[in-house]
């Protein structure tokens, strides 16, 4: 049940940008302001102003989304790039985002779009049907809502996701999980898989480095496990000296084990200096390896490293017999040996969504990638 009034079927007399779309999840507040209830930032948006994410705006006493149907560009990615290692391995996913973001990460790796305003960034106008047709034309199995945080353009995510399901495509949400309890049910209703960024395991990091809070993200993760069937993987980008201590990694793993369980794949990925954080070095491969070792010792059954070449750290092994099931190199599949969701050797069930049938090929490469695909 949404908290805000129903999206208007009429447009207010005040003229608004033709690119604006009625927003949901808001309610009127004092002195003509509107309270946006989509993310835990709960912005109070004055007349003619935008919320922190920029793309939700108050015009004429209504909240509008400037992100609906306005992609900053499309790309065909391997699903491993999201990263998702236990969801349709080796398939292609049509990926897109919009401008704006509801977090303020100093290390943002997509800052050119997440910090852009719609009118500063070339935006492609598209309808849900056009996005789905593009995914079909480019032989994708799924659509990923990604690059900036799709929470802030939830209205468009929902409309595209419904259309994608009608066409037999899966939906993937790549998010920081910073969404309110009142909006998350509808946002995830048509989502099949998600990767949630757990950016650190201290409130101090969240507050100082991302301008947000840890607790709502943990809430989303626990809720995904408890209340939904959305396939979930977690990513933590390790930044030297900020969130990579053995104690913090251990506490993060303990929390995941208790609230999400040992089967959720956990990815530790390497940071590179970017945006406002250029004073830190790249994450050494040894830090990722140590983090993976800690996770496995604590009981996380599937832990991977990313943004580095490390075949062993990216390999899926059977927890029953240690057989090698999926060998990855960066985002490419080098070997795929499974029977549906089971180990080819001992029959142990592997959590996730894998391809039906028997696959014992020694070579299975991710199809060639295409960047900058366009609607027409
Ligand atoms: S979605 Fe945007 S406008 Fe709404 S509370 Fe979050 S940052 Fe503010």
């Amino acid at each position: 049940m949404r908290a805000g009034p129903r999206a208007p079927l009429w447009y207010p007399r005040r003229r608004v940008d033709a690119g604006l779309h009625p927003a949901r999840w808001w309610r009127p507040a004092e002195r003509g302001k509107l309270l946006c209830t989509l993310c835990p930032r709960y912005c109070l948006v004055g007349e003619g102003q935008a919320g922190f994410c920029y793309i939700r705006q108050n015009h004429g006493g209504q909240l509008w989304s400037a992100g609906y149907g306005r992609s900053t560009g499309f790309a065909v990615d391997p699903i491993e790039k999201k990263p998702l290692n236990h969801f349709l391995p080796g398939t292609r996913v049509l990926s897109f985002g919009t401008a704006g973001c509801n977090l303020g990460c100093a290390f943002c790796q997509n800052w050119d779009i997440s910090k852009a305003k719609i009118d500063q960034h070339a935006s492609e106008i598209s309808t849900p049907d056009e996005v789905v047709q593009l995914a079909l034309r480019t032989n994708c199995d799924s659509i990923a809502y990604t690059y900036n945080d799709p929470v802030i353009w939830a209205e468009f995510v929902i409309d595209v996701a419904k259309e994608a399901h009608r066409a037999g495509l899966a939906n993937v949400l790549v998010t920081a999980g910073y969404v309110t309890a009142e909006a998350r049910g509808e946002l995830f209703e048509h989502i099949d898989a998600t990767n949630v960024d757990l950016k650190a395991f201290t409130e101090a990091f969240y507050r100082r480095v991302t301008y947000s809070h840890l607790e709502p993200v943990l809430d989303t993760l626990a809720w995904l496990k408890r209340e939904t069937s959305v396939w979930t993987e977690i990513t933590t980008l390790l930044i030297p000296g900020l969130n990579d201590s053995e104690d913090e990694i251990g506490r993060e793993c303990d929390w995941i084990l208790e609230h999400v369980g040992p089967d959720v794949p956990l990815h530790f990925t390497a940071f590179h200096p970017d945006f406002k954080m250029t004073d830190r070095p790249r994450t050494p491969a040894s830090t990722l390896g140590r983090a993976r070792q800690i996770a496995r010792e604590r009981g996380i059954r599937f832990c991977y490293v990313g943004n580095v070449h490390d075949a062993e750290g990216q390999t899926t092994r059977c927890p029953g017999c240690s057989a090698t099931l999926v060998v990855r190199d960066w985002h490419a599949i080098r070997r795929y040996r499974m029977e549906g969701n089971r180990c080819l050797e001992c029959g142990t069930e592997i959590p996730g969504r894998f391809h039906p049938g028997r696959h014992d090929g020694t070579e299975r490469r991710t199809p060639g990638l295409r960047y900058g695909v366009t609607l027409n």
Side-chain angles (χ1 to χ4, degrees):
M1 200 71 178
R2 66 185 163 214
R6 290 181 66 82
L9 297 173
W10 50 275
Y11 282 66
R13 259 175 291 168
R14 181 190 163 123
R15 188 177 167 278
V16 296
D17 181 332
L20 296 180
H21 184 89
R24 297 171 60 189
W25 303 290
W26 61 274
R27 54 179 170 264
E30 71 277 8
R31 296 195 301 278
K33 294 187 175 180
L34 306 177
L35 179 71
C36 177
T37 60
L38 174 55
C39 95
R41 201 169 285 285
Y42 288 109
C43 294
L44 272 172
V45 189
E47 171 62 32
Q49 295 179 341
F52 180 91
C53 60
Y54 175 72
I55 67 169
R56 303 181 78 79
Q57 305 173 359
N58 176 353
H59 296 288
Q62 306 276 333
L63 198 68
W64 302 84
S65 168
Y68 191 98
R70 301 181 80 173
S71 159
T72 48
F74 295 90
V76 175
D77 287 335
I79 195 84
E80 286 74 17
K81 194 175 175 184
K82 299 303 96 188
L84 286 175
N85 279 2
H86 290 223
F87 188 79
L88 305 176
T91 57
R92 297 152 65 102
V93 53
L94 181 72
S95 305
F96 72 101
T98 71
C101 196
N102 58 339
L103 272 72
C105 303
F107 53 88
C108 185
Q109 319 265 297
N110 290 325
W111 63 271
D112 54 329
I113 58 174
S114 70
K115 299 304 164 206
K117 297 174 177 173
I118 286 284
D119 46 4
Q120 292 173 341
H121 206 291
S123 299
E124 254 182 285
I125 311 281
S126 46
T127 65
D129 181 57
E130 285 171 329
V131 176
V132 169
Q133 292 308 318
L134 181 60
L136 293 172
R137 270 207 318 277
T138 51
N139 297 321
C140 290
D141 291 80
S142 55
I143 295 175
Y145 312 91
T146 180
Y147 300 143
N148 64 341
D149 202 301
V151 164
I152 63 170
W153 40 286
E155 295 87 356
F156 193 52
V157 171
I158 292 168
D159 287 355
V160 177
K162 285 181 185 167
E163 202 66 36
H165 271 180
R166 280 186 213 113
L169 298 168
N171 293 301
V172 169
L173 197 84
V174 182
T175 177
Y178 207 57
V179 59
T180 59
E182 60 198 277
R184 67 193 179 196
E186 285 177 88
L187 174 62
F188 280 97
E189 187 179 345
H190 302 279
I191 298 300
D192 302 283
T194 185
N195 189 299
V196 179
D197 261 343
L198 181 52
K199 293 175 186 284
F201 204 67
T202 64
E203 170 61 14
F205 179 101
Y206 264 86
R207 200 177 58 249
R208 286 194 213 124
V209 184
T210 74
Y211 298 120
S212 65
H213 299 285
L214 170 62
E215 203 57 41
V217 180
L218 299 183
D219 255 17
T220 300
L221 280 167
W223 171 82
L224 279 164
K225 171 68 179 174
R226 198 177 59 240
E227 309 274 343
T228 78
S229 58
V230 178
W231 175 251
T232 300
E233 303 193 15
I234 297 173
T235 296
T236 300
L237 181 85
L238 293 180
I239 305 175
L242 287 183
N243 64 353
D244 64 343
S245 75
E246 295 192 2
D247 172 64
E248 185 172 337
I249 291 166
R251 286 186 296 104
E252 174 181 332
C253 293
D254 290 345
W255 185 91
I256 291 171
L257 285 163
E258 184 180 347
H259 297 274
V260 195
D263 285 342
V264 60
L266 174 60
H267 303 252
F268 289 115
T269 56
F271 158 87
H272 66 263
D274 215 332
F275 192 40
K276 295 180 183 168
M277 196 174 281
T278 51
D279 59 337
R280 302 260 160 188
R282 287 174 180 269
T283 314
S286 57
T287 301
L288 301 177
R290 180 71 188 124
R292 180 166 177 263
Q293 187 185 355
I294 292 168
R296 286 155 59 88
E297 285 168 1
R298 300 278 173 141
I300 303 272
R301 298 208 298 166
F302 304 97
C303 184
Y304 302 101
V305 299
N307 297 346
V308 289
H309 285 286
D310 176 352
E312 180 55 32
Q314 291 159 355
T315 292
T316 304
R317 291 189 181 279
C318 173
C321 69
S322 296
T324 301
L325 304 180
V326 185
V327 177
R328 303 174 187 84
D329 182 8
W330 207 267
H331 300 133
I333 304 279
R334 297 293 185 218
R335 197 163 184 221
Y336 188 85
R337 300 189 75 248
M338 291 185 68
E339 176 139 19
N341 272 36
R342 295 189 178 277
C343 169
L344 208 55
E345 305 294 337
C346 72
T348 295
E349 188 169 344
I350 309 301
R353 314 270 165 85
F354 294 91
H355 304 284
R358 185 180 171 87
H359 303 269
D360 56 3
T362 53
E363 189 85 1
R364 183 188 167 96
R365 288 179 184 274
T366 298
L369 311 182
R370 293 175 61 189
Y371 297 96
V373 292
T374 54
L375 288 165
N376 299 306

